[in-house]
Amino acid sequence: MGLSLYAGLDKSIYILFIVRIINRFGDFVQILLVLILTGKLGMNAHEAGIFISITLIATMGGQLISGVVADKMARKYVLVFCQLMVSFWYLMCALFIGKENASLIPFFILVGSPFRGATGPITNAMVADFTNESERGRSFSLLYLGTNIGVALGPMAAAFLYGYSLVLLFAGSSILLLISTILLIVKLPLIPSHVFRSSDDKIPEGFIHLLIKNKLLIIFLLFSSLYSFIYMQNSFALPIQFTKLFNSTLGAKRFGILMSINAITVLATTPLITRITSSNRHLINMVIAMVFFVLGYGLYAVYQNYTIFLIATFVWTIGEILMATNSNVFLNAFAPLRYRTRFNALSHTAGSLGRALGPTIGGFILVSHSFSLLWGIMASICIIIGFGYLLMDRYLER
């Protein structure tokens, strides 16, 4: 059962899977960006917050621009170029550590941010390019698994390098990106750009007109932003709550264990969940995902017991898996071939917007209200999203 689920996919999907593991494992700079800015580069918390907000805006810009460019050129070339640019700017950071012009390092990180943001939509579009509709769910599931393998291992290496040598941290990210880029160049086949505009994809409308006409997709993007907003509370509100419940040291330790439960659940159950739910329509799986989030966040809202927190985390992680393995498939089913990257870019940008608003609105709620109310609000939003997905499914089945 297990990994046999992923047998028989296009060889290109396995290449993208390996690339995803390498990139996520080597994402040392982003993993520890706040600590690098405040602990090594002399920024205070306020300055670091502003800088991260600016990089997020730059990332969203890169996502949108890449959507247009990668729909007009061969996506492989665009992805290779973007990864090389991120690798180059991280290498520049490594070379400037300890030098007189070390103050330029934040600028280098900022310049690399749009290119880093561009890689996500392009990769998702390429997964759709290399698969047919029946394989797409398994393919996105495999890449999601690759993401979490990298995320499970990357922070440990990043923490070691941060304490040992900042030069090696930046250089390590740069070298790993270069390795994955070489793998893309050598092993990934090229789909020429003219294929995206082939005769079997006769769509007279321009992208904007097509988007405006597709009200269902606009609603889907809105829900994507809302989902990212509620999911962001796991890394914003939850650690703050643990600090208040268990004190700073114990709270940090217990939050780390909680996130390990999340990672282990993803790695252990993603193939099984994908297999069990593969016969369902994608929107129905996303409705089920929201049910799991409502249950998990509902437990957060009602109980303050650490054991219950662990159980609740396992519960909502099932919802995370269902969302990750179905939402991209649904989106790409609606994305015409020649606009595929642009639709994926919009989805990533909507998610980035939700993540950007998460800490601001979550913090506003916590200024005068309890964590129980915050989690109750998040659970209520999940109910709204789930009901919306159900209505969308009913509309499509008419």
Side-chain angles (χ1 to χ4, degrees):
M1 203 155 172
L3 296 177
S4 64
L5 172 71
Y6 305 115
L9 296 173
D10 190 284
K11 287 189 292 186
S12 301
I13 299 300
Y14 301 127
I15 300 301
L16 292 172
F17 168 68
I18 295 170
V19 167
R20 179 66 63 87
I21 293 174
I22 296 171
N23 287 353
R24 287 300 189 179
F25 171 78
D27 207 8
F28 304 143
V29 176
Q30 292 301 315
I31 290 170
L32 298 178
L33 183 56
V34 175
L35 290 179
I36 292 170
L37 295 172
T38 57
K40 301 290 187 179
L41 299 181
M43 287 189 183
N44 59 40
H46 178 65
E47 290 169 337
I50 293 174
F51 178 81
I52 290 173
S53 296
I54 294 172
T55 62
L56 185 59
I57 294 170
T59 297
M60 288 191 284
Q63 289 167 344
L64 291 173
I65 293 170
S66 72
V68 177
V69 175
D71 278 338
K72 295 180 179 297
M73 300 175 60
R75 300 199 232 276
K76 174 180 173 178
Y77 291 154
V78 182
L79 180 60
V80 165
F81 174 75
C82 288
Q83 291 209 169
L84 285 175
M85 290 303 295
V86 180
S87 177
F88 170 77
W89 288 112
Y90 283 172
L91 181 60
M92 291 294 292
C93 291
L95 294 175
F96 274 68
I97 295 292
K99 302 295 192 296
E100 289 184 5
N101 293 328
S103 59
L104 289 173
I105 292 173
F107 172 75
F108 296 153
I109 295 173
L110 178 61
V111 173
S113 294
F115 299 101
R116 181 179 177 273
T119 60
I122 300 172
T123 303
N124 279 3
M126 292 177 82
V127 171
D129 290 343
F130 288 117
T131 55
N132 56 44
E133 191 172 347
S134 64
E135 295 175 337
R136 210 158 280 159
R138 291 188 297 143
S139 299
F140 276 112
S141 174
L142 183 62
L143 258 72
Y144 173 63
L145 201 60
T147 297
N148 282 278
I149 291 171
V151 168
L153 300 174
M156 293 184 287
F160 171 77
L161 290 172
Y162 177 82
Y164 183 74
S165 169
L166 200 60
V167 173
L168 288 180
L169 185 144
F170 279 107
S173 276
S174 177
I175 291 168
L176 286 168
L177 268 170
L178 185 60
I179 291 171
S180 72
T181 305
I182 292 171
L183 183 61
L184 286 171
I185 293 170
V186 174
K187 292 294 186 179
L188 197 71
L190 176 70
I191 300 179
S193 59
H194 68 79
V195 174
F196 306 150
R197 299 180 294 275
S198 61
S199 58
D200 62 346
D201 194 21
K202 296 176 181 177
I203 299 174
E205 299 99 332
F207 171 70
I208 299 298
H209 184 267
L210 187 66
L211 177 65
I212 293 172
K213 194 173 77 171
N214 196 331
K215 302 295 191 298
L216 202 67
L217 188 61
I218 293 174
I219 295 170
F220 175 80
L221 293 171
L222 173 62
F223 287 157
S224 295
S225 189
L226 283 173
Y227 170 67
S228 295
F229 167 75
I230 63 106
Y231 189 87
M232 187 64 188
Q233 303 309 322
N234 298 323
S235 55
F236 172 72
L238 205 53
I240 297 173
Q241 185 174 11
F242 270 47
T243 299
K244 291 186 177 297
L245 286 174
F246 307 113
N247 75 48
S248 179
T249 303
L250 182 59
K253 180 180 177 180
R254 288 190 165 182
F255 177 72
I257 294 171
L258 205 73
M259 291 298 99
S260 296
I261 294 293
N262 172 255
I264 292 168
T265 302
V266 168
L267 296 176
T269 66
T270 295
L272 177 62
I273 291 170
T274 301
R275 186 184 292 274
I276 291 172
T277 60
S278 61
S279 61
N280 296 341
R281 294 190 298 275
H282 298 298
L283 283 169
I284 292 300
N285 283 336
M286 291 156 70
V287 172
I288 297 169
M290 289 301 108
V291 171
F292 279 100
F293 271 103
V294 170
L295 292 173
Y297 288 167
L299 288 172
Y300 281 173
V302 175
Y303 296 99
Q304 306 292 303
N305 179 276
Y306 182 57
T307 303
I308 299 297
F309 273 108
L310 295 175
I311 295 170
T313 300
F314 172 80
V315 170
W316 65 250
T317 300
I318 303 300
E320 175 191 342
I321 293 168
L322 286 167
M323 285 297 295
T325 55
N326 285 275
S327 59
N328 284 323
V329 184
F330 177 82
L331 174 71
N332 282 282
F334 276 83
L337 183 56
R338 66 176 177 177
Y339 296 139
R340 185 169 278 165
T341 317
R342 268 173 271 195
F343 277 103
N344 279 280
L346 278 177
S347 178
H348 275 74
T349 304
S352 296
L353 180 61
R355 286 190 293 275
L357 293 174
T360 302
I361 297 176
F364 178 77
I365 292 171
L366 292 175
V367 166
S368 54
H369 300 286
S370 67
F371 286 97
S372 291
L373 179 65
L374 180 138
W375 293 118
I377 292 172
M378 297 306 120
S380 299
I381 294 173
C382 290
I383 292 172
I384 294 170
I385 297 173
F387 187 65
Y389 287 148
L390 186 62
L391 290 178
M392 288 169 66
D393 180 74
R394 293 291 178 265
Y395 176 79
L396 288 173
E397 288 301 302
R398 287 193 310 188

